[in-house]
Amino acid sequence: MMSLLVVGAIVVSIVLGYRTKINIGLFAIAFAYLIGCFGLGLSPKEVIAMWPLKIFFIIFSVCLFYSFAIVNGTLEKLAEHLMYRCRHFPHLLPFAIFLAAVVISALGAGYYTVLAFMAPITLLLCSRTGLNLIVGAMAVNYGALAGANFVSSQSGIIFRTLMTNSGISDNQAFINSFGIFASTMIVPIVVLAGLILFSRKRGTAMVSMAHVDRPSPLSADQRSTLILTLVMMATVLLPPIASLILPDNTAVAFVNSKVDIGLIASVFSVIALLMKLGDERKAIASLPWGTIIMICGVGMLISVAIKAGTIDLLGSWIGTNIPPVLIPVAFGVVAAFMSLFASTLGVVTPALFPLVPSLAGTLSIDPMIIFIAIVVGAQATSISPFSSGGSLILGSCPTDEARSGLLPKLLFRAAPLGFIAALVFNLLLTFVF
């Protein structure tokens, strides 16, 4: 009974969030308090302790450092240069949009930020070049997602933290994150290639990119920001990679044990401030506070669900009612349907990742395959107009008429196409590996 109540609270939080436009995380915090204290008999201190402090600190510190590249225009300038480089290859414009979004997102801007400033550019390019709106929307959405999944970027960090919180070792979580990033790069490339070939056969491919002007070079501050960002990424990535290559080296193991991306990002934020690469107040104001509240608030409610035994019950049901070989595919389908209406980072992965380790151990399945299937499935339908990605793309439309025309295309063409591609990929992943 209590498990059903918690599941109902999660669903109600999502519905209320979208109906009232109030942050889902705030509803989740309220339900965590009411169910935790009055339903499970927990003390207020125990409920407050369920606030995912580690995830909060990591997102805060990493986004603070990367916000300097947003505030001083470094990431936007990089996007302009990438577009300009592809001006002589108009048929590859979807890949240019995808690559630009991947690079900017991987450099730390994160999914929401990249869509916020890349989606308007993409829609403008579609209108000027004749590029199909669905292809353009999928290219920018896929790119922002894939880049954010990089190990040292926003989504990749959250995935790693969720994995380690559910019992996966740091090294294995690092490997799993690379698997997720690689998978979410492969699916878009195949889908976009198919869409481009289909468009060219129908004679509806874009005709011109002559309007793309040569962007001005990066300023001194922007070059310094880019260099500092690359150094930070190397500092975060090299020790874990060295540890995987040299597992018995004590020096490498010691250095790797001291690496924490949140603390490292905090140090680099101080360096950026000392170098005067951006205004501190603007950097803090540009942090994705809404996303942070949503992820942490829902995390509290998921912790209540774990306390109530809901997660174990769901895992047991899946383990006994679905053939083991189809477990990853089933997780991918569930994640895809959840993502039609909910955030991958804030709702889907916090709810499903805790199920994976025990279920994978019981059924002798590689946990990485299930983790990949969840993310690939969830991100396949994030372009739905009722999810975060689709709503941001719709918000970038210049007129209400364009918005009303794009909504059914995202819901009835882009989201189903993404779902089919994810389903095929997860089937291949399951039966090949």
Side-chain angles (χ1 to χ4, degrees):
M1 179 62 186
M2 192 56 64
S3 293
L4 288 175
L5 184 62
V6 177
V7 172
I10 295 172
V11 174
V12 170
S13 296
I14 295 169
V15 172
L16 288 175
Y18 279 99
R19 291 294 298 272
T20 64
K21 304 303 179 185
I22 296 171
N23 194 301
I24 294 171
L26 296 176
F27 288 110
I29 293 170
F31 280 121
Y33 167 58
L34 294 173
I35 296 173
C37 288
F38 301 102
L40 297 176
L42 301 175
S43 68
K45 286 184 179 180
E46 288 176 303
V47 174
I48 293 171
M50 290 177 175
W51 177 268
L53 187 60
K54 183 177 180 181
I55 292 178
F56 171 81
F57 175 71
I58 288 174
I59 299 174
F60 167 78
S61 55
V62 171
C63 290
L64 177 60
F65 169 70
Y66 285 133
S67 66
F68 290 102
I70 299 168
V71 169
N72 65 23
T74 302
L75 297 182
E76 191 170 357
K77 187 61 66 67
L78 283 176
E80 292 173 2
H81 277 277
L82 284 169
M83 293 292 185
Y84 180 74
R85 300 295 179 191
C86 297
R87 69 194 185 283
H88 296 308
F89 309 99
H91 296 302
L92 297 181
L93 178 59
F95 285 116
I97 295 169
F98 172 73
L99 180 61
V102 167
V103 171
I104 304 308
S105 189
L107 284 172
Y111 174 57
Y112 300 103
T113 304
V114 170
L115 272 190
F117 76 81
M118 281 289 293
I121 296 172
T122 301
L123 294 180
L124 181 63
L125 284 171
C126 288
S127 65
R128 290 186 179 180
T129 64
L131 174 65
N132 186 291
L133 272 175
I134 295 299
V135 179
M138 293 189 76
V140 70
N141 189 63
Y142 268 141
L145 287 168
N149 291 344
F150 190 61
V151 183
S152 63
S153 196
Q154 189 182 109
S155 302
I157 293 165
I158 293 170
F159 296 152
R160 283 169 62 192
T161 308
L162 290 172
M163 283 184 235
T164 53
N165 287 350
S166 58
I168 303 294
S169 68
D170 288 338
N171 276 354
Q172 189 57 50
F174 187 80
I175 295 170
N176 292 348
S177 294
F178 262 119
I180 290 172
F181 171 67
S183 299
T184 52
M185 285 290 291
I186 293 169
V187 173
I189 289 171
V190 174
V191 171
L192 291 176
L195 289 172
I196 290 171
L197 288 174
F198 181 71
S199 296
R200 294 195 70 176
K201 283 185 178 180
R202 292 183 60 191
T204 56
M206 43 283 179
V207 293
S208 173
M209 285 180 67
H211 67 283
V212 178
D213 298 322
R214 184 184 184 91
S216 58
L218 272 70
S219 67
D221 282 350
Q222 290 170 342
R223 286 195 299 272
S224 298
T225 303
L226 181 58
I227 292 169
L228 196 63
T229 301
L230 295 175
V231 171
M232 202 280 272
M233 292 175 69
T235 305
V236 169
L237 295 176
L238 290 180
I241 293 172
S243 179
L244 293 172
I245 297 172
L246 304 169
D248 299 323
N249 188 298
T250 54
V252 170
F254 173 78
V255 173
N256 188 43
S257 69
K258 303 300 180 184
V259 169
D260 181 272
I261 189 165
L263 295 172
I264 290 172
S266 298
V267 173
F268 275 83
S269 293
V270 174
I271 295 172
L273 286 169
L274 291 173
M275 293 175 66
K276 301 187 184 304
L277 297 180
D279 183 85
E280 179 185 354
R281 291 184 180 180
K282 289 182 180 179
I284 293 175
S286 70
L287 292 179
W289 291 111
T291 304
I292 292 173
I293 292 169
M294 180 178 63
I295 291 171
C296 294
V298 174
M300 286 182 73
L301 191 52
I302 295 299
S303 294
V304 170
I306 293 171
K307 197 77 174 178
T310 309
I311 301 299
D312 291 335
L313 190 65
L314 181 58
S316 175
W317 184 89
I318 292 174
T320 54
N321 289 276
I322 297 175
V325 71
L326 292 178
I327 291 290
V329 178
F331 268 101
V333 171
V334 170
F337 278 99
M338 289 177 69
S339 186
L340 279 170
F341 305 98
S343 163
T344 298
L345 297 179
V347 178
V348 181
T349 49
L352 298 182
F353 271 26
L355 297 171
V356 175
S358 60
L359 195 60
T362 303
L363 301 175
S364 300
I365 303 172
D366 186 346
M368 180 167 69
I369 294 176
I370 305 179
F371 285 130
I372 290 173
I374 290 171
V375 176
V376 169
Q379 295 188 343
T381 56
S382 68
I383 200 169
S384 156
F386 303 114
S387 193
S388 47
S391 61
L392 279 170
I393 293 171
L394 282 178
S396 302
C397 290
T399 64
D400 289 337
E401 183 182 355
R403 193 174 295 111
S404 61
L406 184 58
L407 189 148
K409 292 179 181 178
L410 293 180
L411 183 60
F412 297 115
R413 293 174 61 185
L417 180 60
F419 174 75
I420 293 169
L423 183 62
V424 171
F425 178 85
N426 285 340
L427 282 168
L428 291 173
L429 182 73
T430 300
F431 289 105
V432 172
F433 296 99

